[in-house]
Amino acid sequence: MTGLRVLVSGASGFVGRAVVAELLRQGHTVFAGSRRGEAVGGAQGVKLDVTDAASALRAVQQAEPDAVVHLVGIIAQTKDQTFQAAHVEGTRHMLAATPRGARYLHMSALGADPASKSRYSATKGEAEALVRSSGLDWTIFRPSLIFGQGDDFFGRVLKELVTTAPIVPQIGDGRFPFRPVSISDVAQAFVGALTRPGTIGQTYALTGPEEFTFRQLLDEEQRALGQHKPVVPVPLPLMDLAVPLMGVLPKPPITTDQYAMLKAGNTAPNEPARSVFGLPMHRLQDALPGIVKGGR
């Protein structure tokens, strides 16, 4: 099955642009949904605010899609945007607007769980529950940390952490595990699901070929930057006190939600997604020098 009409929400974001590019490369007609409605990489722009049910319905009516790829998500709350609105209500609105019989691909996150202490992970889990009970032909993807040109974690957060001070602060013992995945592998999985009926009703973890501890990620980031600063562990009790205080800053270096997720780690085996979608499994070490030099 080729040449589908596909509406992508969050199309102007980091993941959205990669998914749009892969959809176009494989010959699909793409409608790039975003709040401003700008064209993305040759795809037609469509105004789409997922927190507004009427906007979601208008976008779907305009695109008349065979498939909807829902990618909208936020990593930190603001006065204008909450996890509940973006993740839960946004998903509810897209599900309601998606035509019966259309494919629905959903971007969740590794660690999504309604019982999580992290509101990010909890609302991602609540959104998954809505998807599973929707009656649509859905597929859910749960990526780990995603790396690539323009990513926020390796290109900004971790880069600032290792370059700002004379020493590199390490959270606790630094043993929290992660399995970062390439943006190109993520995009290939999403687009691949459209032509694989066997993926309907399935949930896939998207993780890379190698697991790292948080300490190892700090080391890899430094190596890519060509620096050799000492790494100094910061005891968890001290971090537990400091992180909430940072929340009063206009742009805190780490939020309480991000801190909770870091302590929980973010890893899972890369099968079955690797074999089902034929993912190349790009390595973080190969991409990191270009990411940190391009940065943000």
Side-chain angles (χ1 to χ4, degrees), residues 3-7 28-31 62-68:
L4 299 176
R5 294 172 64 89
V6 185
L7 172 64
H28 299 292
T29 300
V30 186
F31 297 85
Q62 179 180 343
E64 298 182 331
D66 301 302
V68 170

Side-chain angles (χ1 to χ4, degrees), residues 31-92:
F31 297 85
S34 67
R35 286 191 170 192
R36 290 187 296 178
E38 68 264 37
V40 175
Q44 179 180 332
V46 175
K47 284 192 174 182
L48 170 57
D49 177 357
V50 301
T51 66
D52 180 343
S55 175
L57 184 58
R58 284 194 300 270
V60 169
Q61 289 174 338
Q62 179 180 343
E64 298 182 331
D66 301 302
V68 170
V69 180
H70 182 43
L71 302 175
V72 171
I74 58 173
I75 194 62
Q77 298 188 106
T78 66
K79 291 180 180 178
D80 300 323
Q81 189 71 281
T82 66
F83 291 135
Q84 182 70 25
H87 298 163
V88 182
E89 298 310 316
T91 297
R92 192 189 310 277

Side-chain angles (χ1 to χ4, degrees), residues 1-6 23 25-29 66 191 194-196:
M1 185 189 302
T2 57
L4 299 176
R5 294 172 64 89
V6 185
L23 284 165
R25 190 185 73 80
Q26 295 198 25
H28 299 292
T29 300
D66 301 302
V191 180
L194 293 176
T195 54
R196 290 173 171 82

Side-chain angles (χ1 to χ4, degrees), residues 107-186:
M107 169 70 91
S108 186
L110 212 56
D113 182 351
S116 173
K117 293 180 181 179
S118 160
R119 280 302 295 157
Y120 171 87
S121 297
T123 52
K124 282 288 190 178
E126 291 170 31
E128 283 192 8
L130 292 176
V131 174
R132 292 192 176 95
S133 63
S134 66
L136 294 171
D137 291 339
W138 56 265
T139 304
I140 294 172
F141 291 99
R142 293 174 147 197
S144 180
L145 296 171
I146 303 175
F147 64 86
Q149 288 291 337
D151 80 59
D152 192 60
F153 185 77
F154 294 98
R156 183 186 67 82
V157 175
L158 213 59
K159 182 178 178 179
E160 289 179 0
L161 188 64
V162 304
T163 58
T164 301
I167 57 95
V168 177
Q170 171 187 289
I171 298 172
D173 62 13
R175 294 182 183 175
F176 320 118
F178 298 89
R179 202 174 183 110
V181 62
S182 163
I183 182 62
S184 60
D185 285 330
V186 171

Side-chain angles (χ1 to χ4, degrees), residues 91-110:
T91 297
R92 192 189 310 277
H93 296 155
M94 290 306 297
L95 291 170
T98 299
R100 305 297 102 171
R103 284 288 272 119
Y104 177 91
L105 308 182
H106 184 81
M107 169 70 91
S108 186
L110 212 56

